[in-house]
Amino acid sequence: MAQKSIRTTPPLLLTIFTLSLLTSPSFSLSYTYTYNSLDVSSSIRSTLNVFSIQQQEQQVTLSKNKKHAIAKPYNSSSTVLSLKIHPRMSLHAHHHQQHQQDTDYNTLTKLRLARDSARVDSLITRAELAIRGVSRSDLKPVEKYISPMDLEAPVSSGTSLGSGEYFSRVGVGSPSKDFFMVIDTGSDISWLQCEPCSDCYQQTDPIFSPTSSSTYSPLTCNTHECSTLEVSACRNSACLYQVSYGDGSYTVGNFVTETVSFGTSGRVPKVAIGCGHDNEGLFVGAAGLLGLGGGPLSLPSQIKATSFSYCLVDRDSSKSSSLEFNSVKPADSVTAPLLKNSRVNTFYYVALSGFSVGGQQISIPPSLFNMDESGSGGVIVDSGTAVTRLPTQAYNSLRNAFTRLTQHLTSASAVALFDTCYDFSSMSSVKVPTVALHFSGGQTLDLPAKNYLIPVDSSGTYCFAFAETTSSMSIIGNVQQQGIRVHYDLARSQVAFSANNC
């Protein structure tokens, strides 16, 4: 599959002298603040185009109807594998036409944020249980987990456009058939819906049929892959898996090995994946999920990738970018140490030291971002969480620094988890203070304005896209990652951020 590079114009950076503090008649202290330009008109046009069914259906059709070329064998971890990444809005509107025709962007935003909060709660709970040494299988008998009769569909409405915001088109089986699958750095198990279905949700592609593939092979209960599962069981010597997610969605089925193809760049045999026969919840549109976490059953671990990277385009866009394995780190990257948590091997922890607003570093104790000896705290980078979460003290310092430099802007009422919002309805563009992340080692990542001020409706209301959490663990979400290639160097334990490299 051909890879297309999407490049965006760097944000306009302005330097403005805005504040003079008079501490005495004979002494003054001046600060230099930096500002970005936010293109309000363009952003609002994107929100109005979100429900353009015809445009989005055309994007899906183009992606699905391309001829499938045979991928070459994957010989070593030095082979570069590449897949395209699509934002959710470019794929699924045609599944929701009758549900979405009266839905506005504000409603969509609130649904997204509700899903996001559920995911954050799930990630935090998973980390806390692991730190306390509690396994999911300790919470409930395994039989209760994997018996379809004992599982009830929790939140199964398809009108919320599903969980997971970004997808890749992945080939599965021999001969290979392509499927849209959610990419998720916060989980390890890759899976897709399989026939026969005891309960399957609606997806864009035909459901995978194991009988149509010559490389489909069920795993037995005594295999290493089966024993590595967090929740598993046996049925007639076959290994069964179960995975549940923060929004109440879950998948249950056979744990198997299959050949996975990465467009025309390569194919990998005997990858352990879940073949889900009972799948419930908010996955509507996708065939399944691609687990990109750091655990032993994740896709990067199984194919022995030395690195992987992705670039996430604006999630209201119909454009695509790429997911790459074993590619070279971009030369212009901002780098940070990638940290290990011995209790939670799935998550990618990064050494964050602080923030700056308007070009001036704000006062936040670095200890708020540290991981302690028990594994609590720390900062993870997650492709599936939308809004960056910070401990209350850190969030308050960041927000207060931002609001001090935006007192000239018209404020708006809070929206869902956002407590800092603005009315830009009368503006075509607006100058806002810069926001940057600082990493241990001294490097700084400057964010474009659209990565921290986002529209919550189509009439000009924008909110500061950070939120607080009562947990000690922080999460860098995908809103802040948009338009930035995030490169995970697994061999060197380093994460790199490269702007405008989609």
Side-chain angles (χ1 to χ4, degrees):
M1 187 178 291
Q3 178 181 335
K4 186 176 181 182
S5 176
I6 307 295
R7 293 188 177 273
T8 56
T9 305
L12 177 65
L13 187 65
L14 303 175
T15 302
I16 301 179
F17 296 88
T18 58
L19 178 64
S20 178
L21 280 178
L22 299 179
T23 55
S24 71
S26 59
F27 178 75
S28 68
L29 179 63
S30 295
Y31 291 105
T32 301
Y33 291 107
T34 54
Y35 282 68
N36 276 336
S37 180
L38 176 67
D39 189 340
V40 177
S41 298
S42 175
S43 181
I44 290 178
R45 281 197 301 271
S46 294
T47 69
L48 294 171
N49 289 335
V50 159
F51 301 110
S52 175
I53 308 297
Q54 183 177 0
Q55 176 186 359
Q56 293 167 23
E57 283 189 321
Q58 181 182 15
Q59 179 75 15
V60 174
T61 303
L62 289 173
S63 297
K64 290 177 66 179
N65 290 346
K66 286 184 178 179
K67 262 189 177 178
H68 184 74
I70 298 176
K72 59 189 177 183
Y74 180 65
N75 294 319
S76 72
S77 59
S78 61
T79 303
V80 177
L81 302 174
S82 180
L83 293 167
K84 281 198 171 183
I85 297 178
H86 307 266
R88 171 171 289 279
M89 294 312 298
S90 68
L91 300 181
H92 303 301
H94 62 296
H95 279 304
H96 305 276
Q97 185 167 3
Q98 64 183 37
H99 299 292
Q100 293 284 353
Q101 57 189 0
D102 298 320
T103 300
D104 58 25
Y105 193 84
N106 183 255
T107 301
L108 173 61
T109 298
K110 290 176 179 177
L111 290 168
R112 281 173 163 175
L113 294 176
R115 291 198 314 272
D116 202 46
S117 294
R119 178 182 176 87
V120 169
D121 289 343
S122 176
L123 295 179
I124 291 171
T125 299
R126 179 173 181 176
E128 290 176 347
L129 290 176
I131 290 163
R132 285 156 44 193
V134 179
S135 168
R136 291 195 184 200
S137 58
D138 293 333
L139 302 179
K140 217 177 201 182
V142 169
E143 291 78 9
K144 297 294 284 186
Y145 264 96
I146 56 100
S147 171
M149 292 183 296
D150 292 325
L151 292 170
E152 295 180 2
V155 185
S156 57
S157 169
T159 61
S160 67
L161 288 177
S163 53
E165 299 294 340
Y166 293 92
F167 301 78
S168 278
R169 194 141 176 81
V170 184
V172 179
S174 300
S176 178
K177 295 183 179 178
D178 289 341
F179 299 90
F180 285 115
M181 298 177 72
V182 176
I183 64 169
D184 186 6
T185 60
S187 60
D188 294 323
I189 307 301
S190 298
W191 61 270
L192 77 167
Q193 295 197 116
C194 288
E195 293 179 348
C197 279
S198 62
D199 199 346
C200 286
Y201 56 80
Q202 186 181 21
Q203 65 179 53
T204 301
D205 304 295
I207 293 174
F208 177 70
S209 174
T211 58
S212 68
S213 173
S214 63
T215 48
Y216 176 90
S217 179
L219 286 163
T220 58
C221 300
N222 59 357
T223 57
H224 173 72
E225 292 89 346
C226 189
S227 63
T228 307
L229 285 167
E230 189 174 21
V231 179
S232 65
C234 285
R235 183 178 297 162
N236 299 326
S237 298
C239 181
L240 304 180
Y241 79 98
Q242 189 269 347
V243 181
S244 57
Y245 298 91
D247 59 11
S249 305
Y250 64 83
T251 174
V252 179
N254 292 91
F255 207 43
V256 307
T257 61
E258 255 296 8
T259 296
V260 176
S261 300
F262 299 77
T264 59
S265 59
R267 67 178 186 272
V268 185
K270 297 182 178 179
V271 176
I273 63 173
C275 192
H277 301 294
D278 186 1
N279 317 286
E280 294 283 358
L282 304 179
F283 294 108
V284 177
L289 181 142
L290 212 57
L292 301 178
L297 290 175
S298 73
L299 186 62
S301 296
Q302 288 197 63
I303 67 174
K304 296 179 171 57
T306 57
S307 68
F308 75 94
S309 72
Y310 57 74
C311 192
L312 308 177
V313 297
D314 188 324
R315 59 187 184 153
D316 290 337
S317 168
S318 61
K319 297 177 180 178
S320 63
S321 56
S322 65
L323 167 66
E324 300 174 354
F325 297 86
N326 302 320
S327 59
V328 177
K329 179 186 72 176
D332 61 348
S333 298
V334 171
T335 60
L338 193 59
L339 307 178
K340 294 286 187 181
N341 187 332
S342 60
R343 301 293 184 91
V344 191
N345 58 16
T346 298
F347 300 155
Y348 294 105
Y349 288 81
V350 64
L352 180 73
S353 60
F355 289 86
S356 61
V357 174
Q360 299 294 327
Q361 190 154 0
I362 59 180
S363 178
I364 299 178
S367 59
L368 290 178
F369 302 121
N370 292 343
M371 187 193 314
D372 65 23
E373 293 181 357
S374 72
S376 295
V379 182
I380 68 171
V381 183
D382 182 40
S383 67
T385 298
V387 178
T388 290
R389 301 304 207 281
L390 302 172
T392 300
Q393 183 181 346
Y395 170 73
N396 287 342
S397 295
L398 177 64
R399 179 204 55 203
N400 293 345
F402 190 81
T403 56
R404 277 196 296 271
L405 298 184
T406 55
Q407 295 180 33
H408 61 290
L409 299 176
T410 304
S411 62
S413 299
V415 177
L417 55 82
F418 296 136
D419 62 12
T420 302
C421 301
Y422 301 89
D423 179 3
F424 296 155
S425 58
S426 62
M427 303 177 177
S428 59
S429 66
V430 60
K431 297 181 182 68
V432 294
T434 57
V435 173
L437 284 69
H438 298 274
F439 299 104
S440 299
Q443 298 210 25
T444 300
L445 176 65
D446 297 309
L447 298 178
K450 65 183 180 64
N451 285 30
Y452 54 89
L453 276 171
I454 62 173
V456 294
D457 57 30
S458 297
S459 58
T461 305
Y462 285 71
C463 293
F464 189 54
F466 291 83
E468 68 175 322
T469 174
T470 55
S471 169
S472 60
M473 185 175 79
S474 301
I475 305 173
I476 299 176
N478 61 43
V479 168
Q480 282 65 42
Q481 297 175 53
Q482 286 178 174
I484 297 171
R485 179 157 293 279
V486 184
H487 184 274
Y488 300 83
D489 191 332
L490 306 177
R492 295 180 177 84
S493 296
Q494 187 181 75
V495 62
F497 303 89
S498 179
N500 307 304
N501 207 334
C502 284

